[in-house]
Amino acid sequence: MSTSVTYELHEGGQRQLDVPDGTSVMQAAVSNGVPGIVAECGGQLMCATCHVYVEEAVGEVPEQSADEIEMLELAAAETTAQSRLSCQLVCGPQLDALVVRIPEKQV
Amino acid sequence: MSPHERDLLGAELTASPYEFLAELRRNDPVHWDEQQRAWLFTTYEDVAFGFVDQKLSSDRIRPLLDVVTPARRAELAPMLGVMSDWMVVTDPPVHTRLRRLANAAFRQQRIAHMTEWIGEIADSLLDDFVASGSTDFVSGVAYPMPATVIAKMLGAPEADKHLFQRWSDELALVAFGAGGDAREDRHRRALAGIADMQGYLENLIDEVTRHPGDDMISALLAGSGTEDRLTREELVALASLILFAGHETTTNLLCNAVVALTQHPDQLAAAYADREVLPGALEEVLRFEGPIKVIVRWVAEDFERGGKQIKAGDRVYLLVNSANRDEKVFADPDRFDIGRSGQPPHIAFGRGAHACLGAQLARIEGRIALPRILDRLPGLRLTTPVTWKPSIASRAVDGLHVDYDGRTVPALAG
């Protein structure tokens, strides 16, 4: 099973991927060359360089932990109520579709 | 010697490695260096691969012990024994556990909230630097700032930070493969440094155990709320790694930023005109002249790369400084341009499981230091030509002396 994830690129345009259960929005982006998600730490919740804004969700988005909220304080671009670290957005059967916007900078 | 064989520790490549690296990327991107007995990975793609692929192991101390003579092994073992516990040289699952505990302790420090006191440290150092009229930027600013920050984070008394430099210098000789001194002398000094540092940290751990605080050692002692805690040995190893890694590289980042900016007057002028450019400038320094040149890995399993057969047991040097100048990734890569976009990103902090634990702390320190340095030191300029230290891993200046407008020239002693 998979989640349809649309990445709205900062420079304009978008990429759509079918992300399998258990794969994060970050991992899918990095493996498929979607620009603008750096993910220096590879998903350890230590770098805040995989920041995205969740624009739309169909289904249940994984909950945000206290650690993620903490780390978002280090994000380079402005953070909003929509901000998430995409390494924590792990796709699963509860999440049908997701639209994320990539910020102007990650560092 | 073939035209392609040049000494990574020699004077020529220490001063200016970049042309040679470009030549390798063009002609032999996966290159066997006979002198180093290591494969040099020179492209961004290959270095990025090297950081994350499981066929490359970070367990690079034990294999070293395996290939040397028994006599040499006996000599190296006490020193390398400590370093072999450093998580930086371990693989999953050992690494995963240590890194998870270290990550939690670092996150608990809440570095995003440290900007005020880090700013106070920088201001105070610059106050003293300006008042003294000193030109010694390393002693005055670049060394003490990160050392003070990491000491405070570890819960060490600030007054002890002068000890850290000596130990780190000794360790760096071995850990960073610095050239120059005779190998035996280097190892003896490193061993003494490690013994002193271990003793100090054991005392600090005892002190913190009696009086826990909000420092990292207290956090590591408490564990992350699960049953998993570090043993005493693991804690000493982790604390010593953080101490060592926590300032040498940041000192070099600050120095390299001053060098890059003063060597490119138009960029320096742009920074003086508008402090907003400085975060981008810091990233460009990390790309153009980052503090780490090489990261070492050992090959766990045979594979083919760049048309070469890489064998289990071979050593690989990930040339971060070459990846960061890869013309296939960065337009006009040898141009220092503080306005360069952050995309594609540099690889100065590595990638994946071993990506620099302190990367965000280093960025915060740099972003706090640089504007203050410019504010307090107008017309900043170097007074002596830059010389780089011979080292496999480190891009470090051999001292840095600066002048600036209005410097109070110190009175000469009677």
Side-chain angles (χ1 to χ4, degrees), chain B residues 200-367:
Chain B
Y200 176 88
L201 287 169
E202 282 173 11
N203 286 338
L204 183 61
I205 288 165
D206 288 340
E207 183 55 39
V208 167
T209 306
R210 282 193 290 271
H211 303 112
D214 51 12
D215 54 86
M216 270 195 294
I217 289 186
S218 298
L220 290 166
L221 279 168
S224 47
T226 67
E227 260 144 46
D228 191 10
R229 282 183 188 26
L230 296 172
T231 65
R232 192 181 171 81
E233 285 80 17
E234 286 172 339
L235 185 48
V236 173
L238 185 51
S240 67
L241 172 62
I242 289 171
L243 195 164
F244 171 61
H247 75 269
E248 166 92 21
T249 42
T250 310
T251 294
N252 293 335
L253 176 58
L254 294 176
C255 288
N256 295 3
V258 168
V259 168
L261 285 168
T262 52
Q263 287 182 341
H264 297 84
D266 57 325
Q267 310 280 303
L268 182 60
Y272 271 118
D274 183 8
R275 302 289 179 274
E276 297 287 301
V277 306
L278 285 170
L282 190 69
E283 296 304 309
E284 179 65 345
V285 172
L286 285 161
R287 184 196 73 81
F288 183 79
E289 203 92 75
I292 293 290
K293 297 191 291 192
V294 173
I295 293 287
V296 182
R297 293 284 184 266
W298 283 81
V299 180
E301 201 184 304
D302 292 2
F303 64 97
E304 189 254 318
R305 194 82 189 174
K308 304 293 172 75
Q309 297 306 319
I310 317 290
K311 297 283 185 215
D314 285 350
R315 196 160 53 166
V316 170
Y317 285 5
L318 303 177
L319 265 53
V320 173
N321 61 348
S322 178
N324 277 337
R325 299 258 187 142
D326 191 338
E327 43 285 298
K328 289 205 172 82
V329 173
F330 302 103
D332 206 358
D334 293 318
R335 189 159 105 80
F336 178 66
D337 175 10
I338 65 176
R340 196 181 280 274
S341 130
Q343 191 66 27
H346 64 71
I347 200 164
F349 289 121
R351 285 285 183 274
H354 287 275
C356 177
L357 178 69
Q360 301 311 45
L361 177 60
R363 284 181 162 118
I364 283 174
E365 289 190 54
R367 288 175 195 175

Side-chain angles (χ1 to χ4, degrees), chain B residues 44-258:
Chain B
Y44 188 102
E45 195 182 322
D46 288 344
V47 168
F49 160 85
F51 274 125
V52 300
D53 196 273
Q54 303 293 346
K55 292 187 282 296
L56 284 146
S57 163
S58 288
D59 187 358
R60 56 193 182 268
I61 300 285
R62 256 174 291 272
L64 194 61
L65 289 171
D66 285 343
V67 301
V68 298
T69 64
R72 192 106 187 85
R73 196 178 307 140
E75 192 186 282
L76 290 173
M79 171 180 63
L80 295 184
V82 174
M83 289 168 69
S84 68
D85 286 337
W86 284 3
M87 68 177 172
V88 69
V89 292
T90 57
D91 290 331
V94 172
H95 174 263
T96 317
R97 172 180 162 264
L98 295 172
R99 180 68 193 235
R100 188 173 53 235
L101 289 162
N103 284 344
F106 238 81
R107 271 195 298 264
Q108 194 170 358
Q109 287 291 293
R110 307 185 79 212
I111 57 177
H113 297 258
M114 288 184 178
T115 52
E116 202 179 308
W117 70 257
I118 294 179
E120 283 165 7
I121 290 169
D123 286 337
S124 164
L125 289 169
L126 284 161
D127 286 344
D128 292 347
F129 186 63
V130 169
S132 72
S134 168
T135 62
D136 185 345
F137 185 76
V138 175
S139 304
V141 180
Y143 167 70
M145 184 178 163
T148 308
V149 171
I150 209 69
K152 188 168 161 85
M153 286 174 70
L154 284 171
E158 194 191 312
D160 290 348
K161 69 175 187 286
H162 68 284
L163 295 170
F164 299 173
Q165 175 160 34
R166 190 164 51 79
W167 300 328
S168 286
D169 286 350
E170 313 284 87
L171 270 175
L173 296 177
V174 171
F176 286 150
D181 296 311
R183 198 173 58 184
E184 294 72 25
D185 184 49
R186 210 164 76 202
H187 288 163
R188 195 170 38 245
R189 287 166 58 190
L191 187 53
I194 286 178
D196 286 348
M197 186 166 67
Q198 267 190 292
Y200 176 88
L201 287 169
E202 282 173 11
N203 286 338
L204 183 61
I205 288 165
D206 288 340
E207 183 55 39
V208 167
T209 306
R210 282 193 290 271
H211 303 112
D214 51 12
D215 54 86
M216 270 195 294
I217 289 186
S218 298
L220 290 166
L221 279 168
S224 47
T226 67
E227 260 144 46
D228 191 10
R229 282 183 188 26
L230 296 172
T231 65
R232 192 181 171 81
E233 285 80 17
E234 286 172 339
L235 185 48
V236 173
L238 185 51
S240 67
L241 172 62
I242 289 171
L243 195 164
F244 171 61
H247 75 269
E248 166 92 21
T249 42
T250 310
T251 294
N252 293 335
L253 176 58
L254 294 176
C255 288
N256 295 3
V258 168

